[in-house]
Amino acid sequence: MPALDTGKVLVTGANGFIGAWTCKTLLERGFSVRGTVRNESKATHLRKTFASFGDKFEVAVVEDMLEEGAFDSAVQGVDAIVHGASPFDLAVDDPAELIDPAVKGTTTVLTSALKHAPTLRRFIVTSSTGAINTPSAEMVTVSEADWNEGAIAEINEKGAEASPLGKYCLSKTLAERTAWDFYNKHKGEVGWDMVSLNPPYVFGPVLHEVDKPEKLNTSMAWWYGAVVGGSIDNESLANVGVAWVDVRDMAEAYTLALTTPEASGERFIISAGPFKLQDFVSIAHRLHPQLHAGNTEYNPAKAVHYTNYVTEKQRKLLPIKYRTIEELTGDTLENFQARGWF
Ligand code: NDP
């Protein structure tokens, strides 16, 4: 059970929404971090953000993670890898645009780890509840024992006509499966183990480089549209939503997953609980009355949450004190206000 308390962590996709918070949290816990980005210009903001950590933060440019050997040099000398680089884009036609980078990127970094990371002790896969189920209007209780077979069936049946979320969920399902298959095939040869973290929607303040709301990552663009932009109709505000986690708690989950020996070989759903979009809108309107009120008929006590994620294992092995919806909304709006976004 090779967990670690100290050392150097490679974070792929360091310039993304979750990646930047992951780097920050690991640095604050005393780890050294090497973050990967696709080109040097994407590193400038990170270097500035983490300047106070001195040489504990460094950047590795990996131009094309689909190229064989892309991570060969980036993995050298690291004690752990947090792999998060993968597209979360709901506007693609061809499912291959998501599946190829998700799956091949995972294989590439694992292959480099196998060949060039003799000091590696733990590999953490950023998966998703999308690899567990595709949310639907059907009552389900799901746990880490479940895999999203529905996404595979949907793409087989509909191809490019599949739902945007279905395509994304499939990319996460196949990528996580690829990771476990790779690990199970090679575990006898390596000195490291694997953990996967499966969050639902991740929301929260923005730390990565974003100059305007239109450039927000997919989950935060949706949140911004609902809460600030007023771009979602009242019916959807009251009825649309699955489960959520604050990005800062997700970053904490990575730290716990690295430092907890018993996490070895486990998948973990990382979820603070269910939501409907109106939950955020109501709090936002209370805190900032100039923001829209949304659906004033909404009664949270009557909201029907179709997906129940079982989180016992996470709560026992990776005990996170989840932020509340109020904290998330308040802090995120403060972050947006400081940027002049409302
Ligand atoms: P972002 O879009 O903010 O970050 C994605 C990161 O992956 C960026 O660094 C991006 O680099 C990189 N990336 C994307 N495609 C490629 C590619 N083809 N080659 C190399 N790098 C690539 O998204 P999030 O931070 O939200 O997502 C991070 C991870 O978390 C993903 O694996 C996502 O599936 C997962 N996740 C996210 C959830 C959410 O609600 N946000 C929920 C569940 C899981 P670049 O900037 O250069 O494009």
Side-chain angles (χ1 to χ4, degrees):
M1 288 198 267
L4 55 152
D5 290 323
T6 174
K8 184 173 283 192
V9 185
L10 181 75
V11 177
T12 72
N15 63 314
F17 171 55
I18 297 173
W21 276 108
T22 304
C23 292
K24 181 174 193 285
T25 306
L26 290 171
L27 287 163
E28 284 169 351
R29 296 298 149 84
F31 287 97
S32 294
V33 172
R34 180 182 295 158
T36 74
V37 293
R38 290 204 247 193
N39 59 55
E40 189 52 44
S41 70
K42 296 195 180 203
T44 311
H45 174 79
L46 291 177
R47 290 193 204 281
K48 213 166 108 192
T49 306
F50 302 130
S52 63
F53 294 98
D55 61 7
K56 288 206 129 195
F57 179 74
E58 63 190 47
V59 171
V61 174
V62 175
E63 276 176 22
D64 181 3
M65 71 172 179
L66 306 196
E67 221 169 70
E68 214 183 299
F71 291 93
D72 282 1
S73 113
V75 300
Q76 285 177 29
V78 302
D79 302 285
I81 296 174
V82 170
H83 178 51
S86 193
F88 182 6
D89 185 350
L90 299 179
V92 304
D93 287 325
D94 185 354
E97 285 178 51
L98 298 176
I99 294 168
D100 285 356
V103 173
K104 287 189 192 156
T106 300
T107 306
T108 309
V109 67
L110 280 164
T111 306
S112 293
L114 179 69
K115 294 184 179 165
H116 298 284
T119 51
L120 187 65
R121 301 178 68 194
R122 183 158 283 183
F123 188 105
I124 302 187
V125 182
T126 306
S127 189
S128 163
T129 49
I132 287 174
N133 72 318
T134 303
S136 68
E138 201 181 296
M139 284 291 180
V140 287
T141 293
V142 288
S143 74
E144 291 93 347
D146 293 297
W147 282 90
N148 192 345
E149 307 295 346
I152 299 171
E154 188 186 346
I155 302 290
N156 283 343
E157 191 189 319
K158 299 184 186 159
E161 302 308 313
S163 66
L165 198 58
K167 293 176 200 170
Y168 169 69
C169 289
L170 181 66
S171 77
K172 299 307 287 181
T173 306
L174 296 180
E176 194 196 328
R177 275 230 168 115
T178 299
W180 285 113
D181 287 349
F182 187 101
Y183 175 67
N184 286 326
K185 185 170 168 201
H186 295 286
K187 64 183 175 194
E189 310 156 45
V190 298
W192 43 274
D193 62 9
M194 189 176 278
V195 178
S196 96
L197 300 186
N198 298 56
Y201 278 101
V202 183
F203 301 129
V206 170
L207 184 65
H208 66 303
E209 186 172 29
V210 188
D211 57 3
K212 49 185 170 192
E214 295 75 25
K215 295 263 189 74
L216 277 165
N217 59 295
T218 297
S219 59
M220 285 314 294
W222 191 48
W223 195 93
Y224 178 91
V227 175
V228 182
S231 60
I232 297 186
D233 63 85
N234 279 354
E235 172 73 15
S236 301
L237 288 176
N239 292 298
V240 175
V242 194
W244 68 284
V245 63
D246 189 302
V247 66
R248 297 162 293 181
D249 295 333
M250 184 60 202
E252 172 70 16
Y254 285 113
T255 311
L256 287 168
L258 278 183
T259 55
T260 305
E262 297 76 13
S264 181
E266 300 286 350
R267 306 172 87 196
F268 292 96
I269 292 171
I270 307 293
S271 171
F275 73 93
K276 299 292 180 194
L277 286 169
Q278 183 62 36
D279 292 323
F280 300 108
V281 173
S282 300
I283 295 162
H285 179 67
R286 198 176 72 227
L287 295 173
H288 301 274
Q290 73 272 36
L291 294 176
H292 74 119
N295 188 333
T296 49
E297 307 286 300
Y298 174 70
N299 178 353
K302 292 202 172 145
V304 180
H305 298 292
Y306 293 98
T307 306
N308 172 36
Y309 288 111
V310 176
T311 55
E312 264 76 22
K313 181 166 63 172
Q314 172 268 308
R315 286 171 199 276
K316 184 167 166 232
L317 295 181
L318 310 180
I320 298 160
K321 189 177 177 301
Y322 286 115
R323 286 171 172 82
T324 61
I325 290 192
E326 282 79 4
E327 286 172 285
L328 180 145
T329 306
D331 293 350
T332 304
L333 290 174
E334 204 176 290
N335 179 283
F336 286 179
Q337 212 168 27
R339 293 163 183 268
W341 289 357
F342 74 93

